[in-house]
Amino acid sequence: MTPPPIRRRSEVEIRWRQFRNPPRPILRAVLSSLIVATILGLAYLAYDVALSRGATLPGGDLRTLAVTLFVAIVLVSGSLITYLAVPQPSGSGGTRRRSRWSAALGLFAALPIAYLVLVVEGQILRPLLT
């Protein structure tokens, strides 16, 4: 008896399945960067709204520096947290190894997340608050 033919999945079905069941290292890298970016983004949003409402803060208007620090901190923390949270497969041995590739995964996950958080908070949340 011959087995039934294998049904080919569409590209949309494949991507939907990948979205529902992400690999744990990718999920950890994205979530760690997203949490850090959200917290820092909300702090920047509060600073930006305070300046736009006329508050006088020590140091004056440092929004450019704040955005630069925001991106740098998100990139470094996303890379570091992913390095610590995503070990390489240990194989048959019990030792858990870390790799620079884990840090690179965190860095490449953090870059678009930092940008998206700034866009969402600047284009969607800021107009609601001003």
Side-chain angles (χ1 to χ4, degrees):
M1 185 167 144
T2 61
I6 297 173
R7 183 180 72 87
R8 301 286 296 171
R9 291 183 179 156
S10 71
E11 188 70 24
V12 173
E13 286 177 304
I14 292 170
R15 297 296 168 229
W16 179 248
R17 185 170 187 271
Q18 288 175 342
F19 177 74
R20 286 185 329 205
N21 304 312
R24 268 193 260 160
I26 304 299
L27 184 66
R28 289 177 185 168
V30 169
L31 283 180
S32 66
S33 298
L34 184 62
I35 290 169
V36 171
T38 302
I39 292 169
L40 291 176
L42 290 174
Y44 172 73
L45 182 64
Y47 177 71
D48 189 29
V49 168
L51 284 177
S52 67
R53 289 184 179 171
T56 55
L57 301 172
D61 187 355
L62 299 173
R63 286 183 255 207
T64 305
L65 177 64
V67 168
T68 304
L69 286 175
F70 166 81
V71 172
I73 291 171
V74 170
L75 292 179
V76 169
S77 66
S79 183
L80 181 66
I81 293 170
T82 304
Y83 174 78
L84 296 173
V86 181
Q88 286 182 322
S90 60
S92 62
T95 61
R96 299 186 71 95
R97 298 174 293 174
R98 307 274 183 234
S99 168
R100 286 180 255 143
W101 290 108
S102 295
L105 171 68
L107 179 72
F108 293 130
L111 190 60
I113 288 173
Y115 175 73
L116 289 173
V117 166
L118 283 176
V119 168
V120 166
E121 291 182 352
Q123 299 297 318
I124 296 173
L125 294 179
R126 189 172 188 284
L128 296 174
L129 297 174
T130 55

